[in-house]
Amino acid sequence: MRIRSRAVVAVVGLLALAGCTGDAQPDPSAPGTASAGPDAPVRVSADGHVDNAYAGASMYVDADWTSNVLASAGEADDAVLAASMRAVSGEPTAVWLDRIQAVTGTATERGLEEHLDAAVAQASQDPDGEPVVVTLVVYDLPGRDCHALASSGELAATDADMARYRSEYIDVIADLLARDEYRVLRIVTVIEPDSLPNLVTNADDEACQAAAPYYREGVVYALDAFAPLEHVYAYLDAGHAGWLGWTDNAEAAVALFADVAGQTRAGLTTVDGFVTDVAGYTPLEEPFLEASDLVDGTPVSDASFYASNPDLDEAAWAADLHARVLAAGFPDTTGIVIDTSRNGWGGIGRPAAASSSTTLDTYVDESRVDRRVHRGAWCNPEGAGLGERPVAEPEGYPDAHLDAFMWVKPPGESDGSSRLVANDQGKGFDPMCDPTYTSDRLDGALTHALPDAPISGAWFPAQFAQLVANAYPAVGSEGGDGSSPDALAGSCSAVLTITDSWSSGYVADVTVTAGAPLSTWSVTLPPGTVLDDLWNGVEADGRITPLEWNATLDAGGTANFGYVGAGDTPAAGALACASA
């Protein structure tokens, strides 16, 4: 997301914002109303609510994202790049609920109910019976993203729109998640990226001052609405190392997190964890730099690029954050998720060793893997790459207490448009997304944003191509937790697409993608499938195996089969795929 100015508002000022809620008073009977009394309802502790939602579960694969990836692969001129795109097409990503219509759905966009149905279908296909965890980004606060324009939203910072946020957005989401058929899922909610961090570093911004009471009220309302659902998990957004890593910012941020969570019915236990680097580019690790290392007598953290911020990377910030939130009273089960969707920084620009320079800034600039001109270059920056693949309980970062690496921002979805683009989503134009803009926030440097970008959240093929080309670990190589990304995703993936349907049947197409070289594969069809016709495969006991000519696949290679099914149309999405 954004990097903000280093200036930090005093904690007392943050806490004082609690009383500035306008004329509207919360309805005590509403599901999100805070109550600190001894009889206040709290989350029911049950076997269904585990410490880490991602542990022992598979993650939801969004067929819409997969379709975009496969379309980009089909248009790529570079065969190797196209194969790498296909190899990651089965990776899980979060679903962004960035406006009311994203929840209800439109004629061209699946709503939350359809995503949840697809996740249930995915769970039913899992050969090991693992639960499926769905990551939802709750992102529609009144006055959203108050310090930027590219992802501003549909709701204004007013009492009237706060009422809409509660009744038309959060209540609708909570009612859907509460349905019995979705209790088989584990649902992770990422609560309002950019909101509380903005109140830490941008309290002097007039737009943030106007939005502050609604951010606080809205976050409390969302937490209280989801807390009674034992299969739902709440993670607060916690910025990133280049935003909140300074000691004064970190202290104020944790104080604010604790104060806001403390206003909920269940208090700090309402929060299961924190997510860092959401839609960000801060590297997981800076392998050749330590903040305290001295270059000509000066710490690395004092280099111009880091500006005395001791947290050089997300692993450092996650460890710093975790220690602070536990000291603030959050439970010791609190976990951290890092969004690794775009913080890989591989490619030819990645340094292979530390610099030999004895000049501090030169040493840092030649040693850092973060290739941005400035840590504040947040919009579609040149040179970025996919980071670690999504995985639960990644190893190697014990102080960070990581629940997962997750692709919270779906790779290939734009941060913001390069110029003003008319849209009906309330999204504006931020000059930080214009590659020709020279910004004081970047110490007078050009933004180095990619050109011709669409509005935030729209598919950006050029960016996706860059991310895949610059992936670190490279597609098919060993991941940071010691496992290959392909093994983490499975040796193959399969995605079902409905190409036609009628009252008594439908036509389905299934794309199989190899995560590693395969000599054969098999795909499990949705339960109850009745075949009227099948091509490019052989069916036995509900499983499709290939013909001789489409059985062998290289890593990243694809095969397709199709069928005509009788009866109800199944949900599009991922199917279980095996290498034998």
Side-chain angles (χ1 to χ4, degrees), residues 496-508:
L496 179 144
T497 304
I498 303 300
T499 60
D500 194 11
S501 64
W502 52 93
S503 60
S504 60
Y506 59 93
V507 179

PDB file of all heavy atoms in Angstrom, residues 496-508:
ATOM      1  N   LEU A 496     -12.070 -25.317 -13.375  1.00  0.00           N
ATOM      2  CA  LEU A 496     -13.274 -25.560 -14.161  1.00  0.00           C
ATOM      3  C   LEU A 496     -13.917 -24.237 -14.544  1.00  0.00           C
ATOM      4  O   LEU A 496     -14.098 -23.367 -13.701  1.00  0.00           O
ATOM      5  CB  LEU A 496     -14.249 -26.421 -13.362  1.00  0.00           C
ATOM      6  CG  LEU A 496     -15.599 -26.761 -14.021  1.00  0.00           C
ATOM      7  CD1 LEU A 496     -16.036 -28.158 -13.660  1.00  0.00           C
ATOM      8  CD2 LEU A 496     -16.674 -25.762 -13.565  1.00  0.00           C
ATOM      9  N   THR A 497     -14.263 -24.109 -15.820  1.00  0.00           N
ATOM     10  CA  THR A 497     -14.963 -22.938 -16.345  1.00  0.00           C
ATOM     11  C   THR A 497     -16.237 -23.405 -17.041  1.00  0.00           C
ATOM     12  O   THR A 497     -16.200 -24.376 -17.813  1.00  0.00           O
ATOM     13  CB  THR A 497     -14.090 -22.158 -17.339  1.00  0.00           C
ATOM     14  OG1 THR A 497     -12.867 -21.790 -16.703  1.00  0.00           O
ATOM     15  CG2 THR A 497     -14.798 -20.901 -17.823  1.00  0.00           C
ATOM     16  N   ILE A 498     -17.349 -22.746 -16.768  1.00  0.00           N
ATOM     17  CA  ILE A 498     -18.617 -23.065 -17.434  1.00  0.00           C
ATOM     18  C   ILE A 498     -18.716 -22.205 -18.693  1.00  0.00           C
ATOM     19  O   ILE A 498     -18.692 -20.971 -18.612  1.00  0.00           O
ATOM     20  CB  ILE A 498     -19.815 -22.805 -16.516  1.00  0.00           C
ATOM     21  CG1 ILE A 498     -19.671 -23.617 -15.220  1.00  0.00           C
ATOM     22  CG2 ILE A 498     -21.121 -23.148 -17.225  1.00  0.00           C
ATOM     23  CD1 ILE A 498     -19.593 -25.112 -15.413  1.00  0.00           C
ATOM     24  N   THR A 499     -18.811 -22.838 -19.845  1.00  0.00           N
ATOM     25  CA  THR A 499     -18.862 -22.094 -21.111  1.00  0.00           C
ATOM     26  C   THR A 499     -20.271 -21.954 -21.671  1.00  0.00           C
ATOM     27  O   THR A 499     -20.512 -21.111 -22.536  1.00  0.00           O
ATOM     28  CB  THR A 499     -17.966 -22.775 -22.162  1.00  0.00           C
ATOM     29  OG1 THR A 499     -18.430 -24.120 -22.383  1.00  0.00           O
ATOM     30  CG2 THR A 499     -16.517 -22.817 -21.684  1.00  0.00           C
ATOM     31  N   ASP A 500     -21.210 -22.758 -21.154  1.00  0.00           N
ATOM     32  CA  ASP A 500     -22.601 -22.635 -21.603  1.00  0.00           C
ATOM     33  C   ASP A 500     -23.464 -23.380 -20.590  1.00  0.00           C
ATOM     34  O   ASP A 500     -22.994 -24.299 -19.901  1.00  0.00           O
ATOM     35  CB  ASP A 500     -22.782 -23.234 -23.000  1.00  0.00           C
ATOM     36  CG  ASP A 500     -24.110 -22.835 -23.649  1.00  0.00           C
ATOM     37  OD1 ASP A 500     -24.774 -21.931 -23.092  1.00  0.00           O
ATOM     38  OD2 ASP A 500     -24.462 -23.404 -24.691  1.00  0.00           O
ATOM     39  N   SER A 501     -24.719 -22.962 -20.471  1.00  0.00           N
ATOM     40  CA  SER A 501     -25.624 -23.659 -19.559  1.00  0.00           C
ATOM     41  C   SER A 501     -27.056 -23.449 -20.004  1.00  0.00           C
ATOM     42  O   SER A 501     -27.373 -22.488 -20.718  1.00  0.00           O
ATOM     43  CB  SER A 501     -25.441 -23.155 -18.114  1.00  0.00           C
ATOM     44  OG  SER A 501     -25.785 -21.799 -18.004  1.00  0.00           O
ATOM     45  N   TRP A 502     -27.928 -24.355 -19.589  1.00  0.00           N
ATOM     46  CA  TRP A 502     -29.353 -24.268 -19.862  1.00  0.00           C
ATOM     47  C   TRP A 502     -30.079 -24.938 -18.704  1.00  0.00           C
ATOM     48  O   TRP A 502     -29.438 -25.318 -17.713  1.00  0.00           O
ATOM     49  CB  TRP A 502     -29.694 -24.918 -21.202  1.00  0.00           C
ATOM     50  CG  TRP A 502     -29.168 -26.320 -21.370  1.00  0.00           C
ATOM     51  CD1 TRP A 502     -29.821 -27.472 -21.091  1.00  0.00           C
ATOM     52  CD2 TRP A 502     -27.870 -26.696 -21.845  1.00  0.00           C
ATOM     53  NE1 TRP A 502     -29.023 -28.558 -21.368  1.00  0.00           N
ATOM     54  CE2 TRP A 502     -27.815 -28.114 -21.838  1.00  0.00           C
ATOM     55  CE3 TRP A 502     -26.751 -25.996 -22.279  1.00  0.00           C
ATOM     56  CZ2 TRP A 502     -26.682 -28.809 -22.234  1.00  0.00           C
ATOM     57  CZ3 TRP A 502     -25.623 -26.690 -22.680  1.00  0.00           C
ATOM     58  CH2 TRP A 502     -25.603 -28.087 -22.659  1.00  0.00           C
ATOM     59  N   SER A 503     -31.385 -25.073 -18.781  1.00  0.00           N
ATOM     60  CA  SER A 503     -32.161 -25.526 -17.630  1.00  0.00           C
ATOM     61  C   SER A 503     -31.807 -26.934 -17.183  1.00  0.00           C
ATOM     62  O   SER A 503     -31.927 -27.264 -15.999  1.00  0.00           O
ATOM     63  CB  SER A 503     -33.663 -25.452 -17.937  1.00  0.00           C
ATOM     64  OG  SER A 503     -33.983 -26.276 -19.052  1.00  0.00           O
ATOM     65  N   SER A 504     -31.348 -27.788 -18.078  1.00  0.00           N
ATOM     66  CA  SER A 504     -31.107 -29.179 -17.712  1.00  0.00           C
ATOM     67  C   SER A 504     -29.670 -29.626 -17.927  1.00  0.00           C
ATOM     68  O   SER A 504     -29.372 -30.815 -17.852  1.00  0.00           O
ATOM     69  CB  SER A 504     -32.038 -30.098 -18.513  1.00  0.00           C
ATOM     70  OG  SER A 504     -31.815 -29.937 -19.910  1.00  0.00           O
ATOM     71  N   GLY A 505     -28.763 -28.696 -18.198  1.00  0.00           N
ATOM     72  CA  GLY A 505     -27.391 -29.101 -18.437  1.00  0.00           C
ATOM     73  C   GLY A 505     -26.461 -27.933 -18.664  1.00  0.00           C
ATOM     74  O   GLY A 505     -26.842 -26.767 -18.570  1.00  0.00           O
ATOM     75  N   TYR A 506     -25.232 -28.248 -19.002  1.00  0.00           N
ATOM     76  CA  TYR A 506     -24.205 -27.221 -19.145  1.00  0.00           C
ATOM     77  C   TYR A 506     -23.006 -27.804 -19.903  1.00  0.00           C
ATOM     78  O   TYR A 506     -22.886 -29.034 -20.069  1.00  0.00           O
ATOM     79  CB  TYR A 506     -23.748 -26.727 -17.770  1.00  0.00           C
ATOM     80  CG  TYR A 506     -23.187 -27.840 -16.899  1.00  0.00           C
ATOM     81  CD1 TYR A 506     -21.826 -28.126 -16.869  1.00  0.00           C
ATOM     82  CD2 TYR A 506     -24.036 -28.623 -16.118  1.00  0.00           C
ATOM     83  CE1 TYR A 506     -21.331 -29.154 -16.101  1.00  0.00           C
ATOM     84  CE2 TYR A 506     -23.549 -29.660 -15.339  1.00  0.00           C
ATOM     85  CZ  TYR A 506     -22.186 -29.924 -15.329  1.00  0.00           C
ATOM     86  OH  TYR A 506     -21.696 -30.954 -14.578  1.00  0.00           O
ATOM     87  N   VAL A 507     -22.140 -26.914 -20.351  1.00  0.00           N
ATOM     88  CA  VAL A 507     -20.871 -27.309 -20.971  1.00  0.00           C
ATOM     89  C   VAL A 507     -19.749 -26.776 -20.093  1.00  0.00           C
ATOM     90  O   VAL A 507     -19.750 -25.596 -19.710  1.00  0.00           O
ATOM     91  CB  VAL A 507     -20.728 -26.756 -22.399  1.00  0.00           C
ATOM     92  CG1 VAL A 507     -19.385 -27.175 -23.003  1.00  0.00           C
ATOM     93  CG2 VAL A 507     -21.872 -27.246 -23.273  1.00  0.00           C
ATOM     94  N   ALA A 508     -18.804 -27.643 -19.755  1.00  0.00           N
ATOM     95  CA  ALA A 508     -17.686 -27.261 -18.889  1.00  0.00           C
ATOM     96  C   ALA A 508     -16.364 -27.483 -19.599  1.00  0.00           C
ATOM     97  O   ALA A 508     -16.209 -28.438 -20.364  1.00  0.00           O
ATOM     98  CB  ALA A 508     -17.721 -28.072 -17.599  1.00  0.00           C
TER      99      ALA A 508
END
